[in-house]
Amino acid sequence: MLKAFKRCKGVDEALLVEHDSPLPSPDDQIARAALAVAQAAGVGALEHVHLAGDAATSIFFAPPGPRVMLRGAPGGLGAWRYTHERHRPILQHLAEVDA
Amino acid sequence: MSVSLPPGEAVDVELDLGSLMPFEHGFVTTWVGRRKTPSGHRLVRGHRVIGWLAASEAGLIGGAEGQAALLSLEADAEHVRHVAESWTLGELADVLMLMPSVVLHAVDLEGLPSGPGPARRLLSRSASVIMAALNEDPEVLGAVLVDQGLLVDHTGHVPGDTDELAGLVADTMRTRQTIAGGLGLPEEGHWTLATPQGSVLLASAADLALGVWTASGSDHRRLLQRMANAVSGSAGDDGQAGHLPEGFVLREGKSGPDAVLSMLRVAREEQVYGHLSVGAGERTTAVVLLSGRPVGLVSSSAATLEEAVYDLTDRRRVARLHQLPLDAAIGEGTANVPGFTLAAFGASIASSRSRTEDRKDTLMARYEDILGFDVGLESLGPKVAHLGEAAEGVDHLSTGDSPRLVIDAGYRQRLEDAEHRMDGLQQEAAALQARLEQAENARMRAEVALREAKDATGEGQDRLRATGADLDQAKLAVAEAERRAEAAEARAERLVRRTSELEHQLERRAAELARTVADSGSREALASTLAGMAEEEARVKAELQTSAERLTEVKRRLVEDERHLRLLEEQTSAAHERQANAVRDLAVTEDGVRAGKAELAAVEAEVRAARRRADDERERRREDEVRRSHLESEIRGLLEERRTVLRELGDLGVQRGQSEAQVAHLADQADALATAHEAALADIEEARRLRARLTDEPLAQALLEDGASMAALGPVLERLEHTRAQGYSVVLLDKAVERALQVIGTVVDRAAETPRHLLSNDVMLLLEQQVPETAGIVRGLTRWSVQQRLEHSLKQAVTDVVLDLEHLLEDQDRAITMLRRTRNVLEQLARLGAPQDEIDALMSRCRYPEALPDIAAATQRLIRVALDDIHLEADQRDAGASVALALTAEALEELLSQLEAAGLVGGRPAGHLWAFMASGLLPSEAGHAPSAAPEDDVLPLEEAPPEEPAPEEADATEAPHPPVPAASRSLPPLDDAEERMRLEAELAALDAARAPHGQGREHVEEGLDAGMAALAALEARLGDLEL
């Protein structure tokens, strides 16, 4: 799975953690802040956070599947999201197998 | 070679191959003689034969050739048998998808249900697979893949910013879906935006949208089909081998061969996209199902197909039929059990847990009932694979001797409709013919009945006449009997009257008897009279009785005759009625016959008209096709002419622009020349004045005599021009030349400053007035000093500059070589999947050697990424690809080491060119700075360090020099000519040592050091000169 994400356009770093485990800092802060904002805004379950500047960071939430953190060059949001959506069933299955 | 098509439902009707088939879709197999293999097949769609497949010695042939071969075979054979089987439209589509070239006209392939459309099948694969397929297609210029308006990936050249195009494609596809929904059209399909310059294909599936830029006239339907076929079955990242996600469980139950077959039947009927799994966790065996069709086996423990099937049919385990969402990543690549085919899978299911042959046959029959068509399709595929290579001709229709023309789908549709209409009319004509025959038979029967009725009528009339005669006789008899009855009645009346009269007479006679009792004679007479009268009475009574009986008999016969007459009258009326009915039926039948004949004539006329219309339509179509071909050729000619004209117009425009630019340039040049001419005239006048003044200036004289030293720059300038002609940027070299000219100018300027240090003009004027000889000596000495300094300084400067420029040129050549290698490596990186935009940016900068460090750094980064990818993917490739990639990786690593060795990455690059680019100083300047600076190089004569001259030089300097003052005579003698010759020899040796480019700088520097030493010695000797 990591290889599939790493092969994605612009991705320099890919990380998978369990959905209830914290991400390394500062991505964990980003995730916590985003979850808080989503809860405050009442938009429902948060699925995706994308931060873009000189570099870009995306965190995908698909419980019970693992959280996926991608970091790399900006401009690859579509490709990152497409890759995550395409592999979402396998991610879910991985979580089920782990459970 | 022969081939059997997948089985269908048998058609048990008599076939008429000349007309439409009695079944909708299917095929007709031709069996010749006692051969056990079929000789060919006709493929039927919509009751029409649309495709031909024939077996020949060379192999299977299809399409028009197959049609000709099969018809020829059937014509030559003595005994030909045709067997038809019917398919569903989907089954026909599956067969035609394998061998589309057997169809005579591509139009007949339109509208076939081929499961998901090609766009959906293409977009169901991963983005990398889609982009790779599009990138390899020669028709595709560029493509973007968009997910909900966000760019996923792009390839090739697209006109504009990819992110903006992604948004535009997504908006356009949303608009298309809105329009399609509004018009009641399905979401399947694609849009083609065609322009004379190119075409754009827009297709979507779910949230994904694809935009493909192609050349003008590209067939996008074929392109999509080709792409979908290209990506189907290709190794991609669709699923991971041995991994199957869970899904919605459609069926669940104990496993076993029967249960597996039952679930396979359900999966086939429900078109399940998922898998049929047995067990869970570590011991899982599953059949991967795509649209209900098994495509592979996944097993965590079994290594062979038989083992996997044995595990799959274990009755102690639970089988589950899983339905997955369509975006789940499963496919052929998910299977990990080798050797899977549908036929082998069915045989394994039948035999894995069966002990008797009957059981095997039963299971095999059940399997073939479920997947027999797919098994046939699977075996058909390899046999007809070569037919697809000739698929180019399916768009063409051969029309006699004319070249192949592209047939219009509309004409084809109209022809098909006409054939259907003709067949319907023929069937209607046959029905009417049958009705006509029935009517004719009815007419014949009616005529027979009429004749019979006429005969019956004659007989009836005869009987009527006979009955009339009998009636007349009976009437006569009745009249006679009545007459006789009347006579009898009259007689009876008379007898009654006679009886009454006799009774009256008897009474009277009895009275008379009583009176005459006394008379005995008269008594006897009376007694005899009475006896006579009694006898007469008895006789009359007997006659009366007889007459009464005869009257009764006559009356009875009269009643019988009347009854017989009524019966005859009834028979006559019935006969008349039957005759009238028969006449009426005959008239109706004759009317029906006449109507049938008229209808038949009308139908025949309509058939003739339909045939005539069909012929006319064919003729019109042929004429239209010919006309259209002419128009197309004319249009092609006109387009070619238009392109030529446009090209000429473009050339003329370019020439006009160039001419205008040249005219403007010439006008500017003319203005500049006019200005320059005026300035030149002023300069000439000024030069004339300056020349008059400069005749006394030593620098001018020295320059006038030693200007040839500048000629040493000639070869370097030629090399510069050659480098410029290669098309690479020579900005650095231009700057180096400018810098070299500045250095030379500085040298010349500093050499010109020397006289000012020597003596001022005022002192020279005073000296010339007071001591003309001394002034002449000083002027000559000054001139010689300047000349010597200028000569040596200029030679040294030119030598240094030439060396510097040659070094820079060599570095430039090395940079150009490195750029070429880098360009090749970038092309390889592009083929390896490096980001195209970065590659394009770097390729565009490969003409600028000054950008080599940046390019090298970026290339090194790309090479490292590519090497990482190659090493990461090394275990996923086969042997050939691994060897090729190993060579590529070796080449990349070699370039990487060269880049690192050249210092072009990770630091300051080594070389004169890069030093010059960094500092702006030539290498000689940088090497001698600050002592090599021109201002430091020129020292005042009084400050020059004293130096002991060589004895031989002192002797040699006496003769040529004029007498000098006492102070100057104390100088050691100088042999200028010898010194100059020695310096020139050393410089020549230096030039000779430097002549082959690339030799070490050490030799040149040694020569220069020697020259510098000699020049310093000369300056030291001149520095002691006192006036």
Side-chain angles (χ1 to χ4, degrees), chain B residues 28 60 108 111 200 258 260 368 410 417 552 625 642 663 672 687 693 717 782 789 799 867 892 896 945 971 981 997 1006:
Chain B
V28 179
L60 292 175
D108 292 324
V200 179
D258 295 301
V260 167
E368 288 183 351
D417 293 341
T552 304
E625 286 172 352
R642 178 174 174 268
V663 168
R693 293 179 58 189
L717 294 177
T782 304
R789 182 173 293 276
T799 303
L867 284 175
L892 293 176
L896 197 61
L971 289 173
M981 288 176 62
H997 302 299
E1006 289 174 5

mmCIF file of all heavy atoms in Angstrom, chain B residues 28 60 108 111 200 258 260 368 410 417 552 625 642 663 672 687 693 717 782 789 799 867 892 896 945 971 981 997 1006:
data_model
loop_
_atom_site.group_PDB
_atom_site.id
_atom_site.type_symbol
_atom_site.label_atom_id
_atom_site.label_comp_id
_atom_site.label_asym_id
_atom_site.label_seq_id
_atom_site.Cartn_x
_atom_site.Cartn_y
_atom_site.Cartn_z
ATOM 1 N N VAL B 28 -25.592 -20.094 -38.141
ATOM 2 C CA VAL B 28 -25.941 -21.251 -38.969
ATOM 3 C C VAL B 28 -24.636 -21.921 -39.354
ATOM 4 O O VAL B 28 -23.762 -21.296 -39.949
ATOM 5 C CB VAL B 28 -26.717 -20.826 -40.230
ATOM 6 C CG1 VAL B 28 -27.040 -22.041 -41.073
ATOM 7 C CG2 VAL B 28 -27.988 -20.096 -39.849
ATOM 8 N N LEU B 60 -8.594 -20.021 -40.649
ATOM 9 C CA LEU B 60 -9.916 -19.409 -40.621
ATOM 10 C C LEU B 60 -9.879 -18.075 -41.341
ATOM 11 O O LEU B 60 -8.947 -17.291 -41.173
ATOM 12 C CB LEU B 60 -10.370 -19.200 -39.175
ATOM 13 C CG LEU B 60 -10.661 -20.472 -38.377
ATOM 14 C CD1 LEU B 60 -10.967 -20.125 -36.945
ATOM 15 C CD2 LEU B 60 -11.818 -21.221 -38.996
ATOM 16 N N ASP B 108 -23.144 -3.152 -38.586
ATOM 17 C CA ASP B 108 -23.824 -4.239 -37.897
ATOM 18 C C ASP B 108 -23.294 -4.484 -36.502
ATOM 19 O O ASP B 108 -23.871 -5.263 -35.756
ATOM 20 C CB ASP B 108 -23.704 -5.522 -38.731
ATOM 21 C CG ASP B 108 -24.491 -5.420 -40.020
ATOM 22 O OD1 ASP B 108 -25.567 -4.807 -39.983
ATOM 23 O OD2 ASP B 108 -24.021 -5.904 -41.052
ATOM 24 N N GLY B 111 -24.561 -0.830 -31.539
ATOM 25 C CA GLY B 111 -25.653 -1.105 -30.626
ATOM 26 C C GLY B 111 -25.608 -2.447 -29.945
ATOM 27 O O GLY B 111 -26.574 -2.830 -29.307
ATOM 28 N N VAL B 200 -11.191 16.427 -29.719
ATOM 29 C CA VAL B 200 -11.094 16.187 -28.283
ATOM 30 C C VAL B 200 -12.152 15.155 -27.918
ATOM 31 O O VAL B 200 -13.318 15.290 -28.288
ATOM 32 C CB VAL B 200 -11.311 17.482 -27.481
ATOM 33 C CG1 VAL B 200 -11.231 17.188 -25.992
ATOM 34 C CG2 VAL B 200 -10.278 18.516 -27.856
ATOM 35 N N ASP B 258 -22.107 -29.490 -5.917
ATOM 36 C CA ASP B 258 -23.436 -29.012 -6.299
ATOM 37 C C ASP B 258 -23.692 -27.605 -5.785
ATOM 38 O O ASP B 258 -24.270 -26.774 -6.486
ATOM 39 C CB ASP B 258 -24.497 -29.972 -5.752
ATOM 40 C CG ASP B 258 -24.380 -31.333 -6.391
ATOM 41 O OD1 ASP B 258 -24.492 -31.414 -7.619
ATOM 42 O OD2 ASP B 258 -24.152 -32.304 -5.660
ATOM 43 N N VAL B 260 -21.426 -25.346 -5.137
ATOM 44 C CA VAL B 260 -20.600 -24.398 -5.907
ATOM 45 C C VAL B 260 -21.248 -24.119 -7.253
ATOM 46 O O VAL B 260 -21.320 -22.964 -7.704
ATOM 47 C CB VAL B 260 -19.176 -24.976 -6.064
ATOM 48 C CG1 VAL B 260 -18.400 -24.189 -7.105
ATOM 49 C CG2 VAL B 260 -18.449 -24.943 -4.728
ATOM 50 N N GLU B 368 -21.621 -27.007 -17.896
ATOM 51 C CA GLU B 368 -21.750 -26.485 -19.259
ATOM 52 C C GLU B 368 -23.061 -25.752 -19.448
ATOM 53 O O GLU B 368 -23.151 -24.818 -20.241
ATOM 54 C CB GLU B 368 -21.632 -27.634 -20.259
ATOM 55 C CG GLU B 368 -20.205 -28.158 -20.365
ATOM 56 C CD GLU B 368 -20.081 -29.238 -21.405
ATOM 57 O OE1 GLU B 368 -21.139 -29.670 -21.902
ATOM 58 O OE2 GLU B 368 -18.952 -29.648 -21.696
ATOM 59 N N GLY B 410 -26.555 5.314 -42.328
ATOM 60 C CA GLY B 410 -27.943 5.566 -42.714
ATOM 61 C C GLY B 410 -28.373 4.733 -43.889
ATOM 62 O O GLY B 410 -29.445 4.133 -43.895
ATOM 63 N N ASP B 417 -33.804 -1.975 -43.495
ATOM 64 C CA ASP B 417 -35.259 -1.810 -43.424
ATOM 65 C C ASP B 417 -35.930 -2.311 -44.699
ATOM 66 O O ASP B 417 -36.989 -2.946 -44.657
ATOM 67 C CB ASP B 417 -35.607 -0.339 -43.197
ATOM 68 C CG ASP B 417 -35.159 0.120 -41.823
ATOM 69 O OD1 ASP B 417 -34.929 -0.751 -40.964
ATOM 70 O OD2 ASP B 417 -35.024 1.335 -41.646
ATOM 71 N N THR B 552 -116.212 -42.929 -49.621
ATOM 72 C CA THR B 552 -115.190 -42.823 -48.535
ATOM 73 C C THR B 552 -113.776 -43.063 -49.078
ATOM 74 O O THR B 552 -112.815 -42.360 -48.758
ATOM 75 C CB THR B 552 -115.518 -43.824 -47.434
ATOM 76 O OG1 THR B 552 -116.840 -43.584 -46.983
ATOM 77 C CG2 THR B 552 -114.533 -43.700 -46.296
ATOM 78 N N GLU B 625 -22.862 7.189 -53.450
ATOM 79 C CA GLU B 625 -21.527 6.846 -52.975
ATOM 80 C C GLU B 625 -20.467 7.288 -53.965
ATOM 81 O O GLU B 625 -19.421 7.813 -53.583
ATOM 82 C CB GLU B 625 -21.443 5.345 -52.730
ATOM 83 C CG GLU B 625 -22.189 4.920 -51.470
ATOM 84 C CD GLU B 625 -22.274 3.422 -51.337
ATOM 85 O OE1 GLU B 625 -21.880 2.737 -52.316
ATOM 86 O OE2 GLU B 625 -22.732 2.937 -50.286
ATOM 87 N N ARG B 642 -6.148 24.146 -50.189
ATOM 88 C CA ARG B 642 -6.281 25.167 -49.142
ATOM 89 C C ARG B 642 -5.067 25.162 -48.224
ATOM 90 O O ARG B 642 -4.533 26.211 -47.871
ATOM 91 C CB ARG B 642 -7.547 24.878 -48.331
ATOM 92 C CG ARG B 642 -7.786 25.821 -47.204
ATOM 93 C CD ARG B 642 -9.151 25.531 -46.565
ATOM 94 N NE ARG B 642 -9.340 26.336 -45.379
ATOM 95 C CZ ARG B 642 -9.026 25.945 -44.162
ATOM 96 N NH1 ARG B 642 -8.505 24.750 -43.994
ATOM 97 N NH2 ARG B 642 -9.231 26.727 -43.117
ATOM 98 N N VAL B 663 13.425 45.835 -44.277
ATOM 99 C CA VAL B 663 13.310 47.234 -44.713
ATOM 100 C C VAL B 663 13.519 48.165 -43.529
ATOM 101 O O VAL B 663 14.250 49.169 -43.620
ATOM 102 C CB VAL B 663 11.930 47.458 -45.366
ATOM 103 C CG1 VAL B 663 11.667 48.928 -45.553
ATOM 104 C CG2 VAL B 663 11.880 46.753 -46.707
ATOM 105 N N ALA B 672 21.430 55.049 -39.607
ATOM 106 C CA ALA B 672 22.666 54.932 -38.845
ATOM 107 C C ALA B 672 23.871 55.225 -39.717
ATOM 108 O O ALA B 672 24.840 55.871 -39.282
ATOM 109 C CB ALA B 672 22.763 53.531 -38.250
ATOM 110 N N ALA B 687 40.384 62.848 -37.277
ATOM 111 C CA ALA B 687 41.505 61.916 -37.378
ATOM 112 C C ALA B 687 42.654 62.533 -38.148
ATOM 113 O O ALA B 687 43.829 62.268 -37.846
ATOM 114 C CB ALA B 687 41.042 60.632 -38.052
ATOM 115 N N ARG B 693 48.888 65.126 -35.202
ATOM 116 C CA ARG B 693 49.465 65.242 -33.864
ATOM 117 C C ARG B 693 50.061 63.928 -33.403
ATOM 118 O O ARG B 693 51.039 63.890 -32.685
ATOM 119 C CB ARG B 693 48.398 65.688 -32.869
ATOM 120 C CG ARG B 693 47.906 67.129 -33.123
ATOM 121 C CD ARG B 693 46.851 67.495 -32.137
ATOM 122 N NE ARG B 693 47.347 67.383 -30.778
ATOM 123 C CZ ARG B 693 46.566 67.476 -29.687
ATOM 124 N NH1 ARG B 693 45.280 67.665 -29.848
ATOM 125 N NH2 ARG B 693 47.087 67.374 -28.493
ATOM 126 N N LEU B 717 38.655 33.253 -32.454
ATOM 127 C CA LEU B 717 37.369 33.806 -32.904
ATOM 128 C C LEU B 717 36.667 32.841 -33.857
ATOM 129 O O LEU B 717 35.442 32.717 -33.846
ATOM 130 C CB LEU B 717 37.598 35.156 -33.580
ATOM 131 C CG LEU B 717 38.119 36.238 -32.639
ATOM 132 C CD1 LEU B 717 38.389 37.515 -33.404
ATOM 133 C CD2 LEU B 717 37.136 36.500 -31.517
ATOM 134 N N THR B 782 62.166 56.769 -25.965
ATOM 135 C CA THR B 782 60.766 56.634 -25.536
ATOM 136 C C THR B 782 59.961 55.757 -26.490
ATOM 137 O O THR B 782 59.200 54.867 -26.100
ATOM 138 C CB THR B 782 60.132 58.023 -25.443
ATOM 139 O OG1 THR B 782 60.905 58.805 -24.563
ATOM 140 C CG2 THR B 782 58.702 57.927 -24.949
ATOM 141 N N ARG B 789 57.555 47.729 -24.607
ATOM 142 C CA ARG B 789 56.555 47.416 -23.586
ATOM 143 C C ARG B 789 55.234 46.969 -24.209
ATOM 144 O O ARG B 789 54.623 45.993 -23.781
ATOM 145 C CB ARG B 789 56.345 48.665 -22.702
ATOM 146 C CG ARG B 789 55.363 48.447 -21.569
ATOM 147 C CD ARG B 789 55.368 49.652 -20.680
ATOM 148 N NE ARG B 789 56.638 49.798 -19.989
ATOM 149 C CZ ARG B 789 56.918 49.160 -18.854
ATOM 150 N NH1 ARG B 789 56.044 48.381 -18.291
ATOM 151 N NH2 ARG B 789 58.085 49.342 -18.271
ATOM 152 N N THR B 799 48.455 36.443 -25.508
ATOM 153 C CA THR B 799 48.689 35.022 -25.229
ATOM 154 C C THR B 799 47.785 34.537 -24.092
ATOM 155 O O THR B 799 47.127 33.480 -24.188
ATOM 156 C CB THR B 799 50.161 34.814 -24.855
ATOM 157 O OG1 THR B 799 50.970 35.292 -25.906
ATOM 158 C CG2 THR B 799 50.425 33.337 -24.619
ATOM 159 N N LEU B 867 16.164 5.982 -10.235
ATOM 160 C CA LEU B 867 16.871 4.797 -9.728
ATOM 161 C C LEU B 867 16.126 4.187 -8.557
ATOM 162 O O LEU B 867 16.036 2.955 -8.434
ATOM 163 C CB LEU B 867 18.277 5.209 -9.309
ATOM 164 C CG LEU B 867 19.255 5.442 -10.473
ATOM 165 C CD1 LEU B 867 20.570 5.957 -9.960
ATOM 166 C CD2 LEU B 867 19.477 4.157 -11.231
ATOM 167 N N LEU B 892 22.327 5.364 -15.973
ATOM 168 C CA LEU B 892 21.978 6.490 -15.104
ATOM 169 C C LEU B 892 23.020 6.665 -14.009
ATOM 170 O O LEU B 892 23.434 7.787 -13.688
ATOM 171 C CB LEU B 892 20.601 6.246 -14.494
ATOM 172 C CG LEU B 892 19.430 6.276 -15.475
ATOM 173 C CD1 LEU B 892 18.147 5.928 -14.761
ATOM 174 C CD2 LEU B 892 19.309 7.634 -16.115
ATOM 175 N N LEU B 896 25.358 9.777 -13.328
ATOM 176 C CA LEU B 896 25.323 10.378 -12.000
ATOM 177 C C LEU B 896 26.742 10.539 -11.459
ATOM 178 O O LEU B 896 27.116 11.587 -10.926
ATOM 179 C CB LEU B 896 24.499 9.482 -11.076
ATOM 180 C CG LEU B 896 23.999 10.094 -9.793
ATOM 181 C CD1 LEU B 896 23.107 11.257 -10.104
ATOM 182 C CD2 LEU B 896 23.227 9.067 -8.989
ATOM 183 N N PRO B 945 63.315 47.712 -10.031
ATOM 184 C CA PRO B 945 64.474 47.209 -9.309
ATOM 185 C C PRO B 945 65.676 47.041 -10.244
ATOM 186 O O PRO B 945 65.511 46.655 -11.391
ATOM 187 C CB PRO B 945 63.980 45.869 -8.763
ATOM 188 C CG PRO B 945 62.892 45.468 -9.681
ATOM 189 C CD PRO B 945 62.260 46.718 -10.133
ATOM 190 N N LEU B 971 74.828 52.904 -17.755
ATOM 191 C CA LEU B 971 73.989 51.695 -17.834
ATOM 192 C C LEU B 971 74.746 50.579 -18.494
ATOM 193 O O LEU B 971 75.580 50.795 -19.354
ATOM 194 C CB LEU B 971 72.719 51.992 -18.637
ATOM 195 C CG LEU B 971 71.686 52.900 -17.958
ATOM 196 C CD1 LEU B 971 70.605 53.221 -18.949
ATOM 197 C CD2 LEU B 971 71.124 52.244 -16.728
ATOM 198 N N MET B 981 65.076 39.129 -30.203
ATOM 199 C CA MET B 981 65.043 37.843 -30.907
ATOM 200 C C MET B 981 64.862 36.695 -29.928
ATOM 201 O O MET B 981 64.134 35.733 -30.185
ATOM 202 C CB MET B 981 66.341 37.667 -31.703
ATOM 203 C CG MET B 981 66.437 38.564 -32.932
ATOM 204 S SD MET B 981 68.009 38.414 -33.755
ATOM 205 C CE MET B 981 67.972 36.705 -34.205
ATOM 206 N N HIS B 997 45.727 22.199 -29.120
ATOM 207 C CA HIS B 997 44.858 22.527 -28.000
ATOM 208 C C HIS B 997 44.773 21.369 -27.055
ATOM 209 O O HIS B 997 44.737 20.223 -27.454
ATOM 210 C CB HIS B 997 43.464 22.864 -28.519
ATOM 211 C CG HIS B 997 43.504 24.002 -29.482
ATOM 212 N ND1 HIS B 997 43.950 25.250 -29.151
ATOM 213 C CD2 HIS B 997 43.200 24.056 -30.796
ATOM 214 C CE1 HIS B 997 43.887 26.035 -30.209
ATOM 215 N NE2 HIS B 997 43.444 25.334 -31.224
ATOM 216 N N GLU B 1006 55.404 28.239 -18.295
ATOM 217 C CA GLU B 1006 56.860 28.294 -18.204
ATOM 218 C C GLU B 1006 57.432 29.289 -19.193
ATOM 219 O O GLU B 1006 58.284 30.114 -18.870
ATOM 220 C CB GLU B 1006 57.439 26.909 -18.465
ATOM 221 C CG GLU B 1006 57.178 25.940 -17.321
ATOM 222 C CD GLU B 1006 57.640 24.536 -17.662
ATOM 223 O OE1 GLU B 1006 58.243 24.382 -18.743
ATOM 224 O OE2 GLU B 1006 57.394 23.629 -16.863
#
